[in-house]
Amino acid sequence: MQRVMVCLSGVLVALALVLQSQNALAADAKIAVIDMKEVLSTSTAGKKAQDIIERKMTSLQTSFKSDETSLINLQKEMEKKGSAWSDSVKREKAAEFQQKRRSLAEKQENANKELKKLRELHVNPILKKLEDIVSEVASDGGYDVVLPRNMVLYSTTSIDITDKVVAQLNKVMK
């Protein structure tokens, strides 16, 4: 029994030493945070990409407006006049409504694909450049770890490198 207690004590002491050394290492780490949304919304390149995407989105929404209005009007007509129509007219109108609804859904799906491609075309190069810039700013500042702000519960403004990254990104991507 005494041997078991001695072994258990030894294991506990070793565990305490390991935990203490890990805490000492963690205390030496210099951490920074970055707000990626802010970088993309305030940098020149990010604003430019956002503007292109928003203009396309507005254009697509405008093109859907007439299709949506036509669909709503057809639905209202079916509700108002449906009881007076013959079965064949009801079937025709129902088929027309289903066709218009499928067509609109297909257009919206294609628009979403187009917007996704546009984001990839304009935002992905910025994100790739940001990786290098964040590494450079972190290295210059002596930071060991850079975390996204939305993953951190609390941080002081002194460790936020967002403004430095935006300034560097603006310099690099004129």
Side-chain angles (χ1 to χ4, degrees):
M1 181 74 170
Q2 194 174 15
R3 277 188 176 178
V4 172
M5 293 300 285
V6 169
C7 285
L8 189 58
S9 297
V11 168
L12 289 175
V13 168
L15 183 61
L17 289 172
V18 167
L19 290 175
Q20 189 175 18
S21 68
Q22 284 182 341
N23 286 340
L25 289 174
D28 292 340
K30 191 170 177 187
I31 299 172
V33 295
I34 184 169
D35 188 337
M36 292 300 287
K37 281 185 180 179
E38 187 177 330
V39 169
L40 291 174
S41 67
T42 60
S43 67
T44 305
K47 286 179 186 177
K48 188 183 215 180
Q50 188 100 7
D51 184 49
I52 291 168
I53 293 166
E54 284 179 9
R55 276 189 281 142
K56 185 63 176 180
M57 193 181 316
T58 302
S59 166
L60 291 169
Q61 286 173 341
T62 302
S63 73
F64 294 144
K65 209 56 146 172
S66 65
D67 291 341
E68 289 171 350
T69 303
S70 173
L71 196 60
I72 290 169
N73 289 340
L74 180 58
Q75 183 179 14
K76 287 179 182 177
E77 180 185 12
M78 289 170 60
E79 290 170 359
K80 286 181 183 176
K81 299 177 183 177
S83 59
W85 288 339
S86 67
D87 287 343
S88 64
V89 172
K90 285 180 185 178
R91 281 192 300 272
E92 285 176 24
K93 293 292 184 177
E96 181 184 348
F97 180 80
Q98 291 299 326
Q99 174 58 34
K100 284 185 176 190
R101 192 167 72 181
R102 277 193 300 272
S103 175
L104 179 61
E106 189 176 308
K107 284 181 182 180
Q108 289 172 332
E109 186 177 325
N110 289 338
N112 285 335
K113 288 178 184 176
E114 190 175 344
L115 287 173
K116 183 180 177 188
K117 285 180 184 176
L118 208 54
R119 281 187 193 98
E120 289 173 359
L121 180 67
H122 293 284
V123 176
N124 284 358
I126 298 170
L127 294 176
K128 292 223 183 288
K129 191 56 91 173
L130 269 175
E131 288 178 27
D132 298 334
I133 292 171
V134 169
S135 294
E136 184 181 313
V137 169
S139 178
D140 291 348
Y143 295 104
D144 299 309
V145 178
V146 178
L147 300 171
R149 179 181 283 255
N150 63 339
M151 300 296 285
V152 177
L153 294 175
Y154 172 78
S155 66
T156 65
T157 57
S158 64
I159 65 168
D160 191 328
I161 61 170
T162 303
D163 292 338
K164 292 175 187 172
V165 170
V166 169
Q168 189 68 19
L169 181 64
N170 287 340
K171 231 190 276 184
V172 171
M173 296 191 80
K174 289 185 178 181

